[in-house]
Amino acid sequence: MLLIRCPYCEQDLPELEFAYAGEAHIARPQDPSSVSDEEWRDFLFIRSNPRGVHVERWRHVNGCARFFNAARETVSDRFLATYKAGEPRPDIASLSGEAR
Amino acid sequence: MSLTTAPAVITEPASTTRISLRIIDPAAVGAGLGLAFPTKIGARTVAGARSVLCLGPDEWLVQAPEREGEAMTEALAAIGTTLPLSAVDISDREITLALSGPAVLDLLAIGCPRDLAQLPVGSGCRTLFDTVQVVLTREAPDRFHLTVWRSFAPHLQALLDIALRELATGL
C-alpha cells in the first residue's frame, strides 16, 4: 500500500484513506459561453496523461476531508511531493531529478 | 487453553452528545463553550466530561455527557448570533464502542490501515475500518473508543466478534 503525505494532517497515511480526483491545475473558463466548442472540449476531456511526473488532485476523504495536490511519478508510482490546494505547482524538473 | 483472560473486551459506554462543528474561529467558540479547541488535526482536549477532537482544518467533534446536550445547543446558538458556524447534533447518528485489552492493537489491525501504535494517547483520528469511516480516539495505551455511524455498527461488531474469537484461540 502507498503511503501518502497529507499536507493538512502533516502525516504519511495509508492510501486507503484517500481518493484520486483527476489532474490538478485545470482552471474552469471564467465565462463558459464565450469559449469555443473546441476549448470547452479541451477543458472537459483533454488531459495530459504523461509518462513521468503527473500533477494530480487527491482528497483525504476518510481523514481531514481536504483536497490537495500531489506530484506523482506515473512509472514508479512514487509520490514526489504533496502540497495544499491553491499553492503553486512545484518545480517539476527538480522533482523528476529526485525520482531517478 | 484458558479463556479467562480475554485478549480484548468491547463495551458500549453511556450515550453521549456529539456535535459536529464547522467553524472559522476556534478560539472564540472554545471560549464560549469553556473548551480549548486544538488546531492540530488529530489533537484532542478534554475538560471535565467534555472533549473536543480536531478532525480537519475547520472541523471539530465535540463530545459531552448526554444531559449537557441542551445546554451545549443553547450555548452554540448564542455564539452563532455573532460568529458564522455550523453545528450539527450527530448524537444519534453514531455510536461509540470502547475497545480495551492487551490485544486491542491486534484487534483494530484487522480493519484499520493506520499504524495505530503510533497514535499518541489522548489524540484521535478519522480513518477507515473495513471500508467504513470511523473516528478513533486513544484513551489509554490499551483502550480505544471507536465511533461509527449507527447503521454500520452491526457489520463492525460482527467483524470484531470474529476477530475476538480468533485472538482468543491464538490465531
Side-chain angles (χ1 to χ4, degrees), chain B residues 27-102:
Chain B
V29 176
L33 290 179
L35 272 170
F37 275 51
T39 50
K40 188 179 182 302
I41 294 171
R44 181 165 179 251
T45 51
V46 181
R50 295 183 177 184
S51 72
V52 56
L53 169 66
C54 183
L55 288 175
D58 64 350
E59 185 175 2
W60 284 265
L61 176 69
V62 179
Q63 289 186 288
E66 198 166 30
R67 63 179 186 284
E68 289 181 25
E70 240 170 86
M72 197 78 112
T73 314
E74 281 166 22
L76 283 167
I79 298 166
T81 57
T82 54
L83 285 172
L85 67 82
S86 153
V88 182
D89 188 331
I90 53 170
S91 310
D92 289 333
R93 189 183 78 178
E94 305 183 350
I95 68 165
T96 296
L97 301 173
L99 291 75
S100 60

Side-chain angles (χ1 to χ4, degrees), chain A residues 3-74:
Chain A
L3 290 177
I4 303 176
R5 184 166 189 83
C6 172
Y8 294 93
C9 298
E10 296 172 340
Q11 289 181 72
D12 293 314
L13 295 168
E15 180 192 0
L16 281 179
E17 291 188 3
F18 295 84
Y20 178 71
E23 189 170 353
H25 300 292
I26 292 174
R28 187 175 196 269
Q30 291 290 333
D31 182 8
S33 52
S34 72
V35 302
S36 67
D37 287 352
E38 286 72 27
E39 284 170 318
W40 189 246
R41 174 207 62 197
D42 290 352
F43 159 68
L44 286 179
F45 304 116
I46 306 300
R47 297 293 179 261
S48 59
N49 192 27
R51 182 182 193 276
V53 181
H54 186 227
V55 186
E56 55 200 16
R57 296 199 311 155
W58 283 79
R59 186 180 182 210
H60 193 192
V61 59
N62 294 299
C64 65
R66 285 297 155 134
F67 280 93
F68 60 92
N69 295 331
R72 182 174 57 90
E73 166 70 52
T74 55

Side-chain angles (χ1 to χ4, degrees), chain B residues 134-149:
Chain B
V134 299
V135 174
L136 280 172
T137 56
R138 194 170 195 177
E139 310 288 323
D142 60 353
R143 183 177 166 87
F144 285 84
H145 279 186
L146 181 149
T147 303
V148 62
W149 283 32

Side-chain angles (χ1 to χ4, degrees), chain B residues 4-17:
Chain B
T4 45
T5 51
V9 181
I10 302 172
T11 53
E12 201 175 317
S15 48
T16 57
T17 297

